[in-house]
Amino acid sequence: MMITARGWCRAIALGLLALGSAVPTAVRAQELAASDRGAVALGELIAGLGTSARVLMVGAHPDDEDTQLVTFLARGRHVETAYLSLTRGDGGQNLIGNELGEGLGIIRTEELLAARRIDGAHQYFTRAYDFGFSKSAEETYKHWPKDSILRDVVTVVRGFKPHIIVAVFSGTPRDGHGHHQVSGILAREAFDLASDTVRFPARMTNGLGAWTVTHFYRGQRGNAPNATYAMNVGEYSPLLGRSYAEIAGESRSQHKSQGFGVLQRKGVVMDYVRREASRLRSTATEQPLFEGIDTTYARFGGAFAGPGRARLDSLLAAIADAKRSYDPFAPSATVAPLAAVIRHLDVLCPPPTAGANRLMGQLELVTLGMPCGVPAASAAVPAAADLDRSAMALRQRAGAALALAAGIAVEATAAREELASGDGVPAIALRVYNRGRVPVEFLRASPLFPGVVANLLTGGPALFRPNEGVRTTLSPDSTLSETLAARPVQPIGPWWLATPRSGDIFSVRINGLPEQSNPRSGMVRVALEIAGAQVEVLAPIVYRYADPVRGEVERPVVFVPAVTVALDRAVELTASGASYERAIPVRVRSYLEAPASVRVALRLPAGLAADSAGRTISLAAGATDVVTFRVRGRPAAGAHQIVAEAHVGATVSRAAFDRIEYSHLRPQRQYRPASIALRVADITVPPGLRITYIPGVSDNVAPVLQQLGFTLGVVQPAALDNFDLSTTDVVVIGPRAYDAHAALVRNNAKLLAWVQRGGTMVVQYGQFEMMNPGIMPFPVTINRQQDRVTEEDAPVRILDPASSLLSTPNRITAADFAGWVQERALYMPRAFGDAYTPVLSMNDPGEEPNSGAILAAQYGAGTYIYTTLSFFRQLPAGVPGATRLFVNLLAAGQKGRPVVP
């Protein structure tokens, strides 16, 4: 999908990307929603200047967060709020596309960030990979070493320094999902252990020292009797013209890959939390959650004496003055008071400099020492850490407000969206607009790109601007134009995928900074001085053009390889002993600005040969070509690799990227090797079957069937109205198709009537919608989400050895259930009528056997098969046994092969 120009580009231009403690005041408007501009955004920022409290919510997945409470706190109470999701949701299903696994994790990460841009919170993750549904904490810990993930949570707590932790889940079996249980358990353990430097020395948490959380709460999900506090999260904001529940509904609806679009609720909406632990004696307070906590900067008064206390008092007075000065019709009146806040803060807590920081990678800036001048006495150290973190938030909030009040806008554009690594020095056109009423000093600008990990603060070989250090005055209603240069850098995809996973743990470091600290595309950091206060504004580097229909379109600029080389498929199955003869197209694309000579070749396993050792082609600038090789031979049984490579001079490329683009997300690129995992297995394919495939959700099964040589046509549900079923032998329904497509439900009677006349229909798993009348020919009962086999190596028992499903054309044995991925079966019927014949039984350890994995029935003259096995994961992964079994299901209705003995 083509992404449209949306508010995120404009929002980032005002600094909507967190960069830690940048120099000297990084304009960071986590507090701004992408839809808010001008006086509204300025009013929100100013209203929050005096608030210094922080709340961390902990859950397991994207969508677990209590979005209403997050929005109420972040935007209604101006509390610095964050959501920590243990995973990126990689193991779920995808309602908007076919991406699964790490690709789905990219989508759900971006959906969380889209939600945070609306509700105003930070976003954190641990290194845990979502390996799929889990039934218990014990099972989950088999995939995630507990100490490793607990250390990640403690690192986030020490980095964010929350006063309050809110666990979404109870940490008990009633949470259902094992990931949910673990999130509830680890949230409480992190509350207990974040201050323990014996169990977790600072060296284990990225150099971050102890932090003591004051209160620990658990969400009650509407359970008022057990709640400590009840909050009306539906409170109306006159400034925003919406309630916080309405904003939360918009935020929640960003989880589109999960189908979580919700109504935006008006009126009273209650939310409940229960306090489980506290380090303070009960003290009355007017603010729910913050019992005994002074949420203003006045709480730091006891940490200072003499001049330090006077400087703090001056800061508090400046904050009060800035609040009084706010006039939505005259924002320039707020410039001087806001600048005074920053200047007083810089005296109290000098901003970090290049010498006071160390670069950790992914644009991570970690402050060393105690910059706020609190005496180093042991009793004051916790207050110093609190003030240090709070001062950073105030500096960013005040800086964002000052840039808004001064009418600053920054645009950075490049001539192309994708800049080739190694292709000279691209020019970036920078424009800084002063649309306000006071002069502004332009100090410097530097382009930044993901993966740049050297000389970030002071410029260097990868980052530079002509005339560095020369001040330029921007008078009101004036524009500064500069041309920046950024030497190409090594392109990367999503930062957490830069190195391969180790099992179900990402091989990256958790640094205690939010996900927003890792830019997805090129940025420009612009340093300004406004009324004597220095701020920095971050602007995205974009390729900008006018579309005749959509109008202005902005595409984020990224560095990519000079040449990419891609194969159409990542996994291929073929029958052992058979002659292998395939056309393998290799798609080569140049991102260079000049024509290039490219040599394309295949590296083949033993037993295979191509019609040529390599081909040399000439690619025009930005052009794409396809080189097709004819590959023949008889590879040995087993697993092999076919690798494509492109040579441009001395550079060899063996990779390409997939664009992940949806209208509600910032576009991403997922890099992948240009290789085919070739599985040569004992698979017999019945000849002559004509298959019609109706795709479902997260469905990549049809291409595998085509590889196997089936005559197959893909028909979208909406086309069934006029589709002639007499032209097919087998109809295959994709996973969750009835839930996703109303047109399929509408045409189901037509499909069942065709089965009665002698057709064969294979239906892959659905959820509770399969119990609706008219969906299946005979009723089934699906009791609960737990009726699934989540352990991919769980034993499988054959119930009906005589069934043709297990013998024709492939003899199915226990060996065919080895090597499965992620899970065995989902939403298995617990009860079904005698019309169905089960053939397999399975269960997770300690549970009752379930025989709902494959249910076969004669329906009139035809055959109906319902299967809850996770074929949608197994076939694209090239699992031979699952493929052999699926082929048998397709052949079930052939003459002389009764499915029911």
Side-chain angles (χ1 to χ4, degrees):
M1 300 180 185
M2 178 68 74
I3 195 166
T4 58
R6 300 182 316 282
W8 72 267
C9 281
R10 298 296 188 198
I12 296 179
L14 288 174
L16 295 191
L17 192 59
L19 276 175
S21 48
V23 180
T25 299
V27 173
R28 164 192 169 271
Q30 271 308 112
E31 299 79 9
L32 290 178
S35 59
D36 294 332
R37 299 291 181 272
V40 172
L42 178 61
E44 278 204 281
L45 286 167
I46 290 176
L49 286 177
T51 303
S52 61
R54 294 178 294 278
V55 175
L56 176 67
M57 182 175 290
V58 181
H61 308 106
D63 82 15
D64 285 347
E65 73 270 34
D66 181 346
T67 314
Q68 294 181 144
L69 181 57
V70 166
T71 307
F72 174 76
L73 292 172
R75 304 200 64 181
R77 295 298 177 265
H78 310 295
V79 170
E80 204 175 359
T81 308
Y83 174 54
L84 168 60
S85 175
L86 298 190
T87 76
R88 297 175 185 269
D90 328 73
Q93 289 122 50
N94 183 358
L95 293 183
I96 61 175
N98 290 335
E99 297 89 351
L100 290 174
E102 292 171 345
L104 179 57
I106 294 172
I107 289 174
R108 292 193 174 177
T109 295
E110 286 300 316
E111 287 180 335
L112 276 173
L113 294 176
R116 300 295 82 86
R117 289 193 291 273
I118 292 167
D119 59 40
H122 302 271
Q123 182 61 52
Y124 289 89
F125 296 96
T126 74
R127 292 172 295 154
Y129 175 76
D130 182 350
F131 57 86
F133 186 79
S134 170
K135 294 179 179 176
S136 67
E138 292 72 25
E139 179 188 348
T140 301
Y141 287 138
K142 293 178 182 178
H143 296 261
W144 304 339
K146 180 179 179 181
D147 284 351
S148 297
I149 304 305
L150 175 58
R151 183 180 67 185
D152 290 354
V153 179
V154 170
T155 301
V156 170
V157 170
R158 289 180 173 181
F160 183 59
K161 296 179 173 57
H163 303 97
I164 290 167
I165 291 177
V166 179
V168 175
F169 297 103
S170 69
T172 68
R174 72 171 179 267
D175 294 329
H177 202 314
H179 299 179
H180 294 169
Q181 297 177 44
V182 166
S183 74
I185 293 168
L186 296 186
R188 176 55 195 267
E189 292 189 8
F191 170 83
D192 294 332
L193 296 172
S195 60
D196 188 341
T197 55
V198 175
R199 175 74 180 275
F200 290 103
R203 59 181 171 77
M204 293 179 63
T205 56
N206 203 47
L208 297 166
W211 175 254
T212 302
V213 184
T214 304
H215 297 312
F216 181 85
Y217 294 90
R218 291 197 191 273
Q220 292 302 287
R221 295 183 178 271
N223 190 0
N226 294 327
T228 306
Y229 288 116
M231 293 157 283
N232 176 20
V233 295
E235 180 181 300
Y236 175 73
S237 168
L239 180 66
L240 302 174
R242 305 169 72 190
S243 73
Y244 302 115
E246 287 179 276
I247 298 170
E250 182 184 353
S251 172
R252 187 71 171 172
S253 296
Q254 302 311 300
H255 296 298
K256 299 182 190 301
S257 67
Q258 305 188 67
F260 274 9
V262 298
L263 294 173
Q264 298 181 21
R265 301 172 62 185
K266 296 179 175 67
V268 174
V269 180
M270 301 304 296
D271 207 308
Y272 306 92
V273 296
R274 177 176 60 85
R275 186 169 60 240
E276 185 175 285
S278 176
R279 291 188 168 92
L280 289 181
R281 293 183 178 180
S282 180
T283 304
T285 180
E286 294 181 359
Q287 296 192 70
L289 271 72
F290 300 99
E291 189 169 301
I293 301 174
D294 183 350
T295 62
T296 73
Y297 287 86
R299 75 169 179 274
F300 300 111
F304 291 98
R309 179 56 190 262
R311 290 193 290 268
L312 176 62
D313 289 342
S314 296
L315 173 62
L316 296 176
I319 290 173
D321 188 32
K323 289 186 173 183
R324 285 192 296 269
S325 70
Y326 173 64
D327 182 346
F329 299 102
S332 60
T334 316
V335 168
L338 285 170
V341 170
I342 295 174
R343 292 197 305 271
H344 284 295
L345 182 60
D346 287 348
V347 172
L348 182 70
C349 298
T353 63
N357 288 269
R358 55 192 171 100
L359 194 60
M360 304 302 295
Q362 288 93 42
L363 306 181
E364 299 157 11
L365 309 178
V366 179
T367 301
L368 302 178
M370 298 293 185
C372 290
V374 176
S378 58
V381 168
D386 189 5
L387 179 57
D388 184 17
R389 181 64 183 76
S390 300
M392 183 181 73
L394 176 58
R395 184 176 285 113
Q396 292 167 339
R397 193 185 295 250
L402 180 56
L404 276 173
I408 297 299
V410 178
E411 291 181 343
T413 58
R416 291 184 294 151
E417 173 188 353
E418 293 164 323
L419 306 178
S421 179
D423 192 20
V425 181
I428 298 168
L430 175 69
R431 292 180 179 84
V432 182
Y433 301 89
N434 181 356
R435 301 185 292 184
R437 296 292 177 264
V438 297
V440 172
E441 295 288 317
F442 174 83
L443 306 179
R444 59 187 176 274
S446 295
L448 313 172
F449 284 89
V452 178
V453 294
N455 301 317
L456 177 61
L457 295 175
T458 58
L463 314 167
F464 63 91
R465 164 186 176 257
N467 304 318
E468 181 70 34
V470 178
R471 285 180 173 238
T472 303
T473 300
L474 279 80
S475 302
D477 294 323
S478 67
T479 303
L480 177 142
S481 296
E482 285 271 4
T483 299
L484 305 184
R487 289 193 176 96
V489 297
Q490 183 65 33
I492 62 170
W495 70 273
W496 66 94
L497 299 178
T499 55
R501 273 189 291 119
S502 176
D504 291 319
I505 300 290
F506 288 111
S507 300
V508 293
R509 180 180 59 252
I510 298 301
N511 52 42
L513 289 171
E515 184 71 19
Q516 292 94 332
S517 295
N518 297 285
R520 268 52 179 173
S521 59
M523 308 286 293
V524 170
R525 180 199 299 263
V526 176
L528 305 169
E529 185 174 297
I530 306 171
Q534 291 192 20
V535 299
E536 289 193 347
V537 177
L538 299 174
I541 303 172
V542 299
Y543 168 56
R544 185 180 180 193
Y545 65 95
D547 181 272
V549 176
R550 293 174 294 160
E552 181 177 313
V553 177
E554 292 181 349
R555 303 280 300 175
V557 170
V558 296
F559 275 111
V560 297
V563 172
T564 59
V565 54
L567 297 169
D568 287 345
R569 49 191 178 271
V571 178
E572 188 172 291
L573 283 161
T574 188
S576 59
S579 176
Y580 180 93
E581 184 173 345
R582 302 284 170 87
I584 299 182
V586 180
R587 186 176 301 275
V588 185
R589 178 165 182 177
S590 171
Y591 294 90
L592 296 166
E593 287 191 289
S597 178
V598 182
R599 184 176 185 274
V600 186
L602 287 181
R603 294 166 54 192
L604 299 169
L608 291 181
D611 55 357
S612 63
R615 314 262 181 84
T616 299
I617 60 174
S618 180
L619 278 180
T624 299
D625 200 355
V626 177
V627 178
T628 301
F629 293 88
R630 300 294 306 185
V631 176
R632 296 180 176 88
R634 291 181 183 269
H640 308 281
Q641 287 282 325
I642 297 174
V643 179
E645 54 189 28
H647 299 253
V648 183
T651 302
V652 181
S653 174
R654 300 186 183 94
F657 55 79
D658 295 320
R659 291 182 175 87
I660 298 179
E661 301 190 21
Y662 296 94
S663 60
H664 64 304
L665 304 179
R666 297 178 295 194
Q668 297 296 304
R669 289 161 179 80
Q670 181 181 11
Y671 282 83
R672 57 183 173 86
S675 63
I676 297 173
L678 177 63
R679 300 297 300 270
V680 183
D682 180 15
I683 303 174
T684 299
V685 177
L689 276 185
R690 299 169 301 170
I691 299 173
T692 294
Y693 197 98
I694 301 171
V697 171
S698 308
D699 194 351
N700 294 302
V701 171
V704 180
L705 301 181
Q706 289 172 324
Q707 291 172 25
L708 293 172
F710 284 106
T711 301
L712 182 143
V714 176
V715 176
Q716 296 300 323
L720 286 172
D721 292 325
N722 301 310
F723 184 72
D724 182 4
L725 289 168
S726 68
T727 62
T728 190
D729 301 311
V730 182
V731 171
V732 181
I733 307 296
R736 293 187 63 185
Y738 287 99
D739 183 40
H741 303 296
L744 177 59
V745 176
R746 183 177 68 245
N747 281 280
N748 198 53
K750 174 181 177 179
L751 291 170
L752 291 178
W754 170 80
V755 174
Q756 283 184 309
R757 295 193 298 269
T760 298
M761 190 154 85
V762 178
V763 179
Q764 297 175 69
Y765 96 99
Q767 297 183 344
F768 301 108
E769 72 277 2
M770 302 307 295
M771 295 189 292
N772 293 338
I775 297 297
M776 295 180 67
F778 309 106
V780 298
T781 300
I782 302 172
N783 288 338
R784 53 201 174 100
Q785 189 183 32
Q786 295 278 47
D787 276 330
R788 53 202 295 176
V789 178
T790 61
E791 296 200 10
E792 61 271 22
D793 56 356
V796 176
R797 295 169 292 278
I798 293 177
L799 298 177
D800 185 8
S803 173
S804 63
L805 299 180
L806 304 179
S807 61
T808 306
N810 300 286
R811 175 67 63 179
I812 303 301
T813 68
D816 289 297
F817 297 99
W820 285 43
V821 297
Q822 186 159 324
E823 60 202 348
R824 290 272 195 223
L826 310 87
Y827 295 89
M828 303 167 71
R830 175 62 60 174
F832 43 84
D834 293 339
Y836 291 109
T837 299
V839 295
L840 300 175
S841 174
M842 60 191 71
N843 57 274
D844 280 328
E847 295 188 354
E848 293 294 320
N850 189 308
S851 55
I854 297 177
L855 300 177
Q858 289 299 135
Y859 188 57
T863 301
Y864 180 93
I865 298 173
Y866 180 63
T867 176
T868 59
L869 292 171
S870 60
F871 288 117
F872 75 103
R873 296 195 191 278
Q874 311 310 319
L875 269 64
V879 178
T883 305
R884 284 162 43 86
L885 178 54
F886 198 81
V887 168
N888 283 12
L889 301 187
L890 300 179
Q894 288 186 291
K895 290 183 179 180
R897 297 175 181 173
V899 67
V900 179

